Amino acid sequence: MKVTIMDVANHANVSKATVSRVINHNPKVANEIRKRVLQSIKELGYRPNAFARNLANNSSNVIGLILPDITNPYFPVIARGIEDAAHQEGFSLFISNTDNSPDIEQEYIQKMAGQQVGGIILISSILDEEKVNELCELKIPFVLCDRFLADTPFDTVSIDHYTASYEAVLHLIGNGHRKICHLSGPSLVQSAEMRRQAYSDAIQEHNLEPCIRVGEFSYESGYQLMTSILKESTPTAVFAANDLMALGAMNAIQEQNLKIPQDISVIGCDDILFAQMSTPKLSTISVPAYQIGVKAVGMLVERIKGKKSAAENLLLEHEFIQRES
Amino acid sequence: MKVTIMDVANHANVSKATVSRVINHNPKVANEIRKRVLQSIKELGYRPNAFARNLANNSSNVIGLILPDITNPYFPVIARGIEDAAHQEGFSLFISNTDNSPDIEQEYIQKMAGQQVGGIILISSILDEEKVNELCELKIPFVLCDRFLADTPFDTVSIDHYTASYEAVLHLIGNGHRKICHLSGPSLVQSAEMRRQAYSDAIQEHNLEPCIRVGEFSYESGYQLMTSILKESTPTAVFAANDLMALGAMNAIQEQNLKIPQDISVIGCDDILFAQMSTPKLSTISVPAYQIGVKAVGMLVERIKGKKSAAENLLLEHEFIQRES
DNA sequence: CTTTTTGGTGAAACCGGTTACAAAGATTAA
DNA sequence: TTAATCTTTGTAACCGGTTTCACCAAAAAG
């Protein structure tokens, strides 16, 4: 049988109120009694029931994390940052994968809301106006991470995808490349959209020929898109929307016995662990994923505690990392 | 203000009991009234309070996952399997990283137990007798995943690390290798221990010279161990305790301008995503990580529902995957 | 030596649900 | 027509905590 606060109270010969006070470090409990209660708690192996507690003070110490796919190497780093920060703040972490499906995303948000999470960190696939309104109606704190609409009423943390990508493409152009392709992510994903836009703008401003292929944020997709490109022509550089695609593209390029970077340069984005393990090592845009997670929790907790009013839009620093590709 | 069951009851002109019945799909509610209640729920945007619910029926629909590090590419796959299966079964998922620290592990187990999780899936770093006893006293269902002591009172899911590793080493020996090194994981981690043992046994049985280096389950560690080995001598094959180490070792080997597999063969373990992306592609032991996760949830849920008595020890099939290394 | 203040404690209400039980109305059997 | 039964609904107790408030004893003040 479970031991309840009542058992402790009886065992220590006090009322449940007193036990509760001891648990919550309420200072106005006589030292002697406090000791007795603590002793009883030990002896009985009492653990307060979190449900009852949360119910009584109408608060929750869990936050939810909804992301596309923990299996994609970019996200575990964010997740880790979130988890570490959350535990630091005394929160537990729910986690859910959406596979970029708006329906699943919706379902999980509802589910978490129903589970009384204190707030949700959302790395959303697709957030349109309508969706945002729905979220507002849930009356739950949200922090949007990594990707989102320009004008949301929520707190956000991310990097400046546009500028980062723009710089990367500029870097290629500066190195004399004139035929630069872009492997883009799913057309509805905001971050993919911004990278694509940055690429287009940079290309246009230099009067170059754009070449965009849209696929998934995966290794296979990168491989396939690149293979299909190589069937038609041979660019001198590729800018991929993320490292996984870049790695896939590299594989496709090498299969055609082309040399990287001599024949084709490749730039990725995210700087996942494996960017530095590939041969040649992948040049990429480094994203402070762990920090994004940490900051997201910081903002969310502030909002949960009601310390914030206006929505904050935080952009962290990115960095172009020149490696061997 | 939050909408409670009472608000709904008033709005629909019934008692809270009836509303509760409607929510729980209790069949004995008149159709007309059911409709009215459902209507009110919609209109008021009512969401039942999970804390109150769990408190009332003294049950929890969340399970906890404690693992070493979600950032290690092997674990997200297990985690994904767990998450998918958990949601399928109507459970939510808590997640925590221990970094292989027994203390942190202990802390998180306590925390989850205090959060009233229905059960815990533990991918534990170190589980000795004493620790196991502590877990037993928590009176919470546990499923041990991937690594554990031989004789635990808990359900377990894993592969046969020993046999898998033994076969891999045998494979190398069969290919004529006589100088085979082993890069091992942390000395206290059970799975590392079993792989090491399998290596030792296979080597001894063929009267070969063992060569074991102990490190971390990381890329850097693999790199360093291999570098130090190469300073002393040049083996013809390396069996690494996981793919990350194998990849690190490959990097070290290639830096010395040695060819894989011509000069040195490398075998890893886990078959992480990047095993197939490296050049050359890494030969490895494929572990059904996703399935491990799924099975773990299955067993845990059965136990939570009290459908099991004896502890079950499940071993899933592994497979040696011959690639290019 | 009263009177007021202070500090510590317990009784009871409350958080938002679930559920055993009683009761009322409708239906069926006698 | 009346008794027996079955449905459907409401009342109230309960889950395990937190917290307000009243109360009492001891200390401080008058």
Side-chain angles (χ1 to χ4, degrees):
Chain A
M1 210 39 230
K2 284 275 172 202
V3 330
T4 73
I5 199 172
M6 253 324 224
D7 301 325
V8 177
N10 290 145
H11 186 275
N13 244 308
V14 294
S15 72
K16 27 188 269 188
T18 299
V19 178
S20 175
R21 291 191 186 102
V22 172
I23 297 171
N24 295 297
H25 307 104
N26 185 322
K28 36 187 176 180
V29 177
N31 256 320
E32 196 189 332
I33 293 201
R34 174 188 311 281
K35 268 189 202 163
R36 213 163 71 215
V37 171
L38 253 18
Q39 175 66 23
S40 296
I41 290 180
K42 269 256 156 68
E43 273 182 40
L44 300 179
Y46 167 71
R47 260 178 298 128
N49 182 315
F51 295 138
R53 261 186 133 165
N54 286 325
L55 177 60
N57 25 263
N58 188 24
S59 80
S60 158
N61 48 262
V62 1
I63 69 186
L65 169 60
I66 296 179
L67 43 68
D69 180 12
I70 191 71
T71 267
N72 177 325
Y74 175 55
F75 295 117
V77 185
I78 300 186
R80 188 64 209 266
I82 291 175
E83 208 254 281
D84 288 352
H87 274 112
Q88 190 98 32
E89 299 275 359
F91 283 76
S92 289
L93 187 68
F94 272 151
I95 194 167
S96 283
N97 299 277
T98 64
D99 280 326
N100 280 321
S101 150
D103 292 344
I104 297 181
E105 184 174 307
Q106 189 59 30
E107 180 194 332
Y108 283 161
I109 291 174
Q110 290 293 341
K111 183 168 181 183
M112 283 193 183
Q115 297 266 4
Q116 255 64 38
V117 296
I120 293 180
I121 295 176
L122 184 57
I123 306 180
S124 176
S125 13
I126 300 111
L127 265 188
D128 50 23
E129 288 260 355
E130 189 189 354
K131 191 80 172 287
V132 167
N133 286 336
E134 283 179 30
L135 296 193
C136 285
E137 285 182 7
L138 287 177
K139 306 249 164 63
I140 290 180
F142 276 92
V143 169
L144 273 27
C145 228
D146 194 52
R147 38 183 91 168
F148 41 81
L149 276 177
D151 248 354
T152 49
F154 299 120
D155 292 327
T156 61
V157 203
S158 176
I159 63 157
D160 185 342
H161 291 298
Y162 183 92
T163 305
S165 304
Y166 190 87
E167 288 170 2
V169 178
L170 234 52
H171 173 88
L172 290 172
I173 296 175
N175 279 4
H177 292 282
R178 289 295 170 264
K179 186 144 179 26
I180 305 170
C181 289
H182 177 47
L183 309 183
S184 182
S187 55
L188 290 171
V189 175
Q190 249 89 45
S191 57
E193 165 62 30
M194 296 177 80
R195 290 173 193 171
R196 197 180 316 131
Q197 192 61 51
Y199 164 84
S200 295
D201 290 354
I203 290 292
Q204 274 198 357
E205 285 165 18
H206 290 79
N207 296 309
L208 301 177
E209 196 71 25
C211 160
I212 301 181
R213 299 290 164 107
V214 175
E216 299 290 315
F217 274 142
S218 71
Y219 181 82
E220 288 73 26
S221 186
Y223 176 84
Q224 282 163 10
L225 295 181
M226 195 66 220
T227 303
S228 96
I229 287 177
L230 290 175
K231 273 193 190 132
E232 296 172 13
S233 67
T234 305
T236 65
V238 177
F239 171 54
N242 77 351
D243 285 350
L244 238 30
M245 298 181 88
L247 258 12
M250 278 176 51
N251 187 218
I253 292 169
Q254 289 170 331
E255 267 190 9
Q256 304 297 318
N257 288 315
L258 294 168
K259 292 264 176 284
I260 301 171
Q262 291 83 347
D263 298 323
I264 303 182
S265 282
V266 178
I267 291 184
C269 186
D270 289 350
D271 195 24
I272 61 177
L273 183 58
F274 290 90
Q276 36 185 317
M277 301 189 189
S278 62
T279 35
K281 296 185 168 64
L282 179 65
S283 299
T284 187
I285 299 166
S286 165
V287 177
Y290 188 88
Q291 271 307 310
I292 288 182
V294 172
K295 292 291 183 190
V297 170
M299 296 169 85
L300 189 63
V301 169
E302 269 192 60
R303 191 154 301 275
I304 290 175
K305 293 186 177 162
K307 286 193 195 154
K308 298 183 83 175
S309 44
E312 183 182 351
N313 297 90
L314 189 59
L315 288 182
L316 298 184
E317 293 293 320
H318 59 266
E319 185 188 355
F320 178 72
I321 300 198
Q322 171 88 50
R323 293 207 180 91
E324 307 164 357
S325 73
Chain B
M1 213 35 233
K2 284 276 171 203
V3 185
T4 74
I5 200 171
M6 253 318 222
D7 301 324
V8 177
N10 290 144
H11 186 275
N13 243 310
V14 294
S15 72
K16 29 187 264 186
T18 300
V19 178
S20 174
R21 291 192 185 100
V22 171
I23 296 172
N24 296 298
H25 307 105
N26 186 321
K28 36 188 173 180
V29 177
N31 255 321
E32 195 188 331
I33 292 202
R34 176 188 309 281
K35 268 188 203 164
R36 214 165 69 215
V37 171
L38 252 19
Q39 176 66 23
S40 296
I41 289 180
K42 269 257 157 65
E43 274 183 41
L44 300 179
Y46 167 71
R47 261 179 295 130
N49 182 315
F51 296 138
R53 263 185 128 164
N54 286 326
L55 176 59
N57 25 265
N58 188 23
S59 80
S60 159
N61 48 262
V62 2
I63 69 185
L65 168 61
I66 296 180
L67 44 68
D69 181 12
I70 192 70
T71 268
N72 177 326
Y74 175 56
F75 295 117
V77 184
I78 300 186
R80 188 62 209 267
I82 291 175
E83 207 253 282
D84 288 352
H87 273 113
Q88 190 98 29
E89 299 274 0
F91 283 76
S92 289
L93 186 67
F94 272 151
I95 194 167
S96 283
N97 299 277
T98 65
D99 282 325
N100 280 321
S101 150
D103 292 345
I104 298 182
E105 184 174 307
Q106 189 60 29
E107 180 193 333
Y108 282 160
I109 291 174
Q110 291 292 343
K111 184 169 180 180
M112 284 194 183
Q115 296 267 5
Q116 255 66 37
V117 298
I120 294 180
I121 296 176
L122 184 58
I123 307 180
S124 175
S125 10
I126 300 110
L127 265 189
D128 50 23
E129 288 261 357
E130 189 190 356
K131 191 81 171 287
V132 167
N133 286 335
E134 283 178 29
L135 297 193
C136 285
E137 285 183 7
L138 287 177
K139 305 249 163 64
I140 290 180
F142 276 92
V143 169
L144 271 26
C145 227
D146 193 53
R147 40 184 88 167
F148 41 80
L149 274 179
D151 247 354
T152 50
F154 299 119
D155 292 328
T156 61
V157 202
S158 178
I159 63 158
D160 185 343
H161 290 298
Y162 183 92
T163 305
S165 303
Y166 190 87
E167 288 170 4
V169 178
L170 235 50
H171 173 89
L172 289 172
I173 295 175
N175 279 5
H177 290 283
R178 289 295 168 268
K179 183 142 181 30
I180 305 170
C181 289
H182 177 47
L183 309 184
S184 181
S187 54
L188 290 171
V189 175
Q190 250 89 45
S191 57
E193 166 61 27
M194 296 178 79
R195 289 174 195 171
R196 197 180 317 132
Q197 193 61 50
Y199 164 86
S200 295
D201 291 354
I203 291 292
Q204 276 198 356
E205 285 164 20
H206 291 76
N207 296 311
L208 300 178
E209 196 69 26
C211 161
I212 301 180
R213 297 292 164 108
V214 176
E216 299 291 316
F217 274 142
S218 72
Y219 181 81
E220 288 73 27
S221 186
Y223 175 85
Q224 282 164 10
L225 296 182
M226 194 67 220
T227 303
S228 96
I229 288 177
L230 290 175
K231 274 199 188 126
E232 297 173 12
S233 67
T234 305
T236 65
V238 176
F239 171 53
N242 78 349
D243 285 351
L244 238 27
M245 296 180 90
L247 257 13
M250 278 176 53
N251 187 219
I253 292 168
Q254 289 169 332
E255 267 191 8
Q256 304 297 318
N257 289 313
L258 295 168
K259 291 262 176 282
I260 303 170
Q262 293 82 347
D263 298 323
I264 304 183
S265 283
V266 178
I267 292 185
C269 183
D270 289 350
D271 195 24
I272 61 176
L273 182 58
F274 290 88
Q276 38 185 315
M277 300 188 189
S278 62
T279 33
K281 295 184 168 63
L282 179 65
S283 299
T284 188
I285 299 166
S286 166
V287 177
Y290 189 89
Q291 271 308 310
I292 288 181
V294 171
K295 293 291 183 191
V297 170
M299 297 169 84
L300 189 63
V301 169
E302 271 191 59
R303 191 154 299 275
I304 290 175
K305 292 184 178 163
K307 286 190 194 154
K308 300 184 78 175
S309 45
E312 183 183 350
N313 296 90
L314 188 60
L315 288 183
L316 298 184
E317 294 293 320
H318 59 267
E319 187 188 355
F320 179 71
I321 300 197
Q322 171 88 50
R323 292 209 181 89
E324 307 163 358
S325 72

